[in-house]
Amino acid sequence: MKRSREKAAAELFAALYPRLAGWCRRLVDDDETAHEIASEAFTRLWARWTSVSEPRGFLYVTAANIVRDHWRRLERERRAMRRATVEASVLPPTEQNDPSVRLLVQALPERLRIPTLLHYYADLPIREVAVLTGRKEGTVKADLHAARELLRAHLRRSLDRIQ
C-alpha cells in the first residue's frame, strides 16, 4: 500500500511539477522562488494525499495562494522601502508606471484574481475552475469577464499616461 502511494506520488510529481513550476515562474519572475512555490504546493498535497480527490487542481489552487502571499510580502517590503527612503517618497510608485499584466492581475480582487490565474495562467477549463472555486460555471464566466474589463481599463489608463 505504501509503495503504491509513493509510486503514484512520484508519477504525479514527474507529470505535473515542470508545468506547475513554469506557471509559477511566469507569475513571480524568479526561477528559485517559482521552484520553492511549486515544491511547497507538492509538500502540502503530500500531507493531505489521502483526502485530496483532485491533485492537479489542489496543486494549482495551493500554488496560487502561495503566489498571492508572495506578492503581498513583496508589496509590504516595497512599502517599507518607500517609507524608509527619502527618494522613494519623491518618486511615484513603480506600479503606477508599469502597466504589466502581472501587476494588474496581482491588483485584482481575490474573487476575480483566483479564477483568472487558474483559467488564463494554468490553462484550466472553466468547468474545472468552477469546481475548484466552488462556484457555478456562469459565475466563473462572469468573474473572468469582469476581470478582463478591469484589466482593459487599467491598461488603457496606463497607456494614456505614457502617451
Side-chain angles (χ1 to χ4, degrees), residues 140-160:
V140 170
K141 289 177 184 178
D143 288 346
L144 291 172
H145 175 75
R148 285 190 309 271
E149 290 301 313
L150 277 173
L151 293 172
R152 186 177 293 122
H154 285 297
L155 282 171
R156 276 194 191 118
R157 282 197 299 275
S158 294
L159 291 175
D160 287 346

Side-chain angles (χ1 to χ4, degrees), residues 1-11 46 49:
M1 180 74 158
K2 184 178 179 186
R3 179 64 85 200
S4 64
R5 178 178 166 214
E6 288 175 5
K7 183 180 178 192
E11 288 172 357
W46 182 250
W49 183 253

